[in-house]
Amino acid sequence: ETGVTQTPRHLVMGMTNKKSLKCEQHLGHNAMYWYKQSAKKPLELMFVYSLEERVENNSVPSRFSPECPNSSHLFLHLHTLQPEDSALYLCASSQKVSPTLAGGPSYEQYFGPGTRLTVT
Amino acid sequence: KQEVTQIPAALSVPEGENLVLNCSFTDSAIYNLQWFRQDPGKGLTSLLLIQSSQREQTSGRLNASLDKSSGRSTLYIAASQPGDSATYLCAVSERNKLVFGAGTILRVKS
């Protein structure tokens, strides 16, 4: 049990559907993250939230819409996706985001099991 | 832009062998470096975290080193077991995010 849960674990959707991915962390953390893992590509960051405020959007298309209603929950709303969006979507949390200067204290990220998304 | 490279891409060893996985990164201004394990179709399990001011960390049969100035890290696995078979990911922490390598797929044969 990692303390970070994701639902659903598997999702198949058509290109015209609207669906949402959910992440919940039970660790009392203040920062949450969405990552995407495509076949044959390294894991890449999508969004970062700190205390429910988005602090990073890594040039993600608008068909992905994140929502963080509180520090324990993070959603990824999906609409009009493309087949190339099929991937494993991973949620993570950490106590805080890293401070301004490298070399200062930093915080370990804990990952959920992921949602395997297939867009048909 | 930070780039993380892991070598080898895949490794197959007999049970009991000691092995080394390599990770290199292009920008030394990192907060920490983490090694993760990922089993097929699963999420990531954190193995070791080395803060930027540290040189190494150990946990059981695992030892990770960090040479920030040269942009290198190694993960040493002692006395490998079939249960160690997985993909091992290296990630460096920049402000607000982790930048991942593509991983090393390890297979330990019994």
Side-chain angles (χ1 to χ4, degrees):
Chain A
E1 178 56 56
T2 64
V4 181
T5 59
Q6 291 186 242
T7 55
R9 296 293 309 277
H10 300 273
L11 177 63
V12 179
M13 61 185 288
M15 290 189 284
T16 58
N17 292 158
K18 291 184 180 181
K19 296 286 185 182
S20 296
L21 310 184
K22 178 182 175 182
C23 175
E24 183 173 2
Q25 57 96 1
H26 313 274
L27 301 169
H29 289 167
N30 290 319
M32 297 187 77
Y33 311 76
W34 280 116
Y35 287 86
K36 176 183 178 181
Q37 187 175 35
S38 305
K40 301 181 181 179
K41 288 180 65 177
L43 261 163
E44 54 185 344
L45 179 75
M46 300 176 74
F47 301 103
V48 181
Y49 277 81
S50 175
L51 295 171
E52 300 118 60
E53 179 182 342
R54 190 190 311 176
V55 297
E56 185 109 10
N57 176 346
N58 204 30
S59 303
V60 180
S62 59
R63 58 186 183 269
F64 295 91
S65 175
E67 179 190 2
C68 188
N70 55 63
S71 60
S72 298
H73 293 86
L74 184 65
F75 294 89
L76 188 63
H77 304 300
L78 315 171
H79 63 98
T80 59
L81 295 191
Q82 304 298 313
E84 58 264 30
D85 296 322
S86 298
L88 182 66
Y89 289 85
L90 291 163
C91 172
S93 71
S94 65
Q95 187 177 344
K96 298 180 181 180
V97 295
S98 296
T100 305
L101 297 175
S106 61
Y107 303 97
E108 187 171 359
Q109 291 189 22
Y110 295 83
F111 282 77
T115 295
R116 173 69 63 187
L117 174 68
T118 303
V119 181
T120 60
Chain B
K1 179 184 174 184
Q2 179 75 266
E3 291 183 4
V4 179
T5 303
Q6 291 187 244
I7 295 173
L11 182 63
S12 182
V13 300
E15 182 177 5
E17 192 162 296
N18 302 325
L19 56 100
V20 175
L21 308 181
N22 297 291
C23 173
S24 61
F25 48 95
T26 55
D27 186 344
S28 61
I30 64 171
Y31 292 89
N32 63 50
L33 184 144
Q34 282 186 253
W35 282 94
F36 294 90
R37 169 187 172 137
Q38 185 174 32
D39 293 286
K42 302 288 182 63
L44 275 61
T45 301
S46 180
L47 298 173
L48 290 164
L49 180 149
I50 311 176
Q51 298 287 358
S52 62
S53 58
Q54 297 175 322
R55 299 283 294 185
E56 67 176 334
Q57 282 287 332
T58 298
S59 176
R61 295 183 293 109
L62 305 179
N63 176 277
S65 68
L66 173 64
D67 184 340
K68 209 172 71 159
S69 61
S70 67
R72 295 179 189 277
S73 175
T74 61
L75 178 66
Y76 176 82
I77 302 177
S80 58
Q81 302 170 358
D84 295 331
S85 299
T87 297
Y88 290 80
L89 296 167
C90 164
V92 297
S93 175
E94 300 186 323
R95 185 162 187 255
N96 291 341
K97 68 181 181 182
L98 290 174
V99 180
F100 283 84
T104 294
I105 301 172
L106 173 65
R107 180 182 171 214
V108 181
K109 298 171 289 186
S110 56

